[in-house]
Amino acid sequence: MSFTEKEIESLNIELKGKAPLEIVKWAIAKAKRPVVTTNFRPYEAAILNVCAEALSDIPVIWCDSGYNTPNTYRHAEAVIKQLDLNVKLYVPKQTSSHRDIVMGIPGIEDPLHKVFTEQVKLEPFKRAMAEHAPDVWFTNLRKGQTALRDSLNILSLGSDGVLKVSPFYYYGDEELDIYLEENNLPNEFKYFDPTKVLDNRECGIHTS
């Protein structure tokens, strides 16, 4: 499956008025190796719900940095059970306890922060994508989150040719609150990402 940039632009106009589940079903019909990625941050239950509804056994790639809060882990277990998710877990090659001794959690300005981010997030993610080799990647990117994400759309094409699909791209928090309530889905806000620190900062996964 391949699209030109012009086709992507046209499809984004066409898909903008469709419901997230419709968008996911459209992409699933064209995909050979679809995956959805998650970190179980706030509102992730929405993307997981539509993907599981469209394809019950879709691989759910969870790259767990090892630094999630107890609330996030409990939330993840609840969502996995409720939606019967086909989770593929990827973790760093070094434990967080060992890394705490070696470098701790470096600040953004610390030269070690780049090494830290590579170890806890980028390496597991690259390993997951290499093993699954998806042609369609579902994600919960939304407009207004970061400057980079504002430049994307429902569909965007990665440099590797993977079609990135963000069915909730135009949803604000209030709309997602309604979606979660209507679908009896939980949410969780005590989430911590040690690689970002700031909500409007990219960690690197969506910049490659």
Side-chain angles (χ1 to χ4, degrees):
M1 179 183 63
S2 61
F3 294 100
T4 66
E5 289 292 346
K6 193 167 184 179
E7 287 171 330
I8 294 288
E9 190 177 330
S10 176
L11 284 166
N12 275 323
I13 294 170
E14 180 184 332
L15 293 173
K16 189 174 180 180
K18 295 189 181 297
L21 182 58
E22 289 182 87
I23 295 170
V24 173
K25 286 181 175 178
W26 170 87
I28 289 286
K30 297 182 177 298
K32 292 181 180 177
R33 298 177 307 280
V35 300
V36 57
T37 57
T38 188
N39 48 18
F40 291 101
R41 65 176 292 126
Y43 297 112
E44 286 290 287
I47 183 71
L48 297 171
N49 186 56
V50 290
C51 287
E53 189 171 339
L55 184 66
S56 61
D57 64 345
I58 187 170
V60 177
I61 294 174
W62 179 17
C63 293
D64 175 12
S65 69
Y67 294 91
N68 282 306
T69 66
N71 287 63
T72 296
Y73 284 119
R74 282 191 286 268
H75 172 69
E77 290 301 316
V79 174
I80 291 167
K81 184 177 181 180
Q82 181 177 340
L83 300 179
D84 192 24
L85 298 177
N86 178 24
V87 172
K88 306 297 181 183
L89 180 63
Y90 288 82
V91 297
K93 293 182 176 180
Q94 185 182 48
T95 66
S96 56
S97 296
H98 186 179
R99 193 178 303 99
D100 282 344
I101 299 300
V102 177
M103 70 174 81
I105 300 178
I108 295 175
E109 304 304 325
D110 191 321
L112 282 175
H113 189 270
K114 187 175 181 181
V115 177
F116 177 84
T117 299
E118 178 67 31
Q119 287 184 5
V120 306
K121 182 165 282 190
L122 301 185
E123 188 283 324
F125 173 76
K126 291 172 187 173
R127 183 163 20 106
M129 296 301 266
E131 289 181 13
H132 289 273
D135 55 349
V136 170
W137 167 19
F138 292 103
T139 181
N140 209 29
L141 296 188
R142 292 190 289 136
K143 187 175 176 63
Q145 290 179 318
T146 68
L148 170 69
R149 298 176 190 198
D150 282 350
S151 71
L152 303 176
N153 210 315
I154 294 171
L155 304 181
S156 56
L157 209 54
S159 57
D160 52 5
V162 177
L163 183 67
K164 191 184 296 185
V165 183
S166 306
F168 290 94
Y169 185 74
Y170 289 102
Y171 273 53
D173 287 359
E174 288 185 8
E175 291 170 290
L176 276 174
D177 286 333
I178 292 169
Y179 178 87
L180 294 179
E181 187 177 347
E182 288 178 346
N183 289 275
N184 194 30
L185 295 166
N187 204 3
E188 198 281 301
F189 289 101
K190 291 184 178 178
Y191 175 79
F192 172 65
D193 184 342
T195 67
K196 291 178 69 172
V197 183
L198 303 172
D199 286 341
N200 63 350
R201 184 175 179 276
E202 287 291 344
C203 63
I205 283 177
H206 295 287
T207 58
S208 57

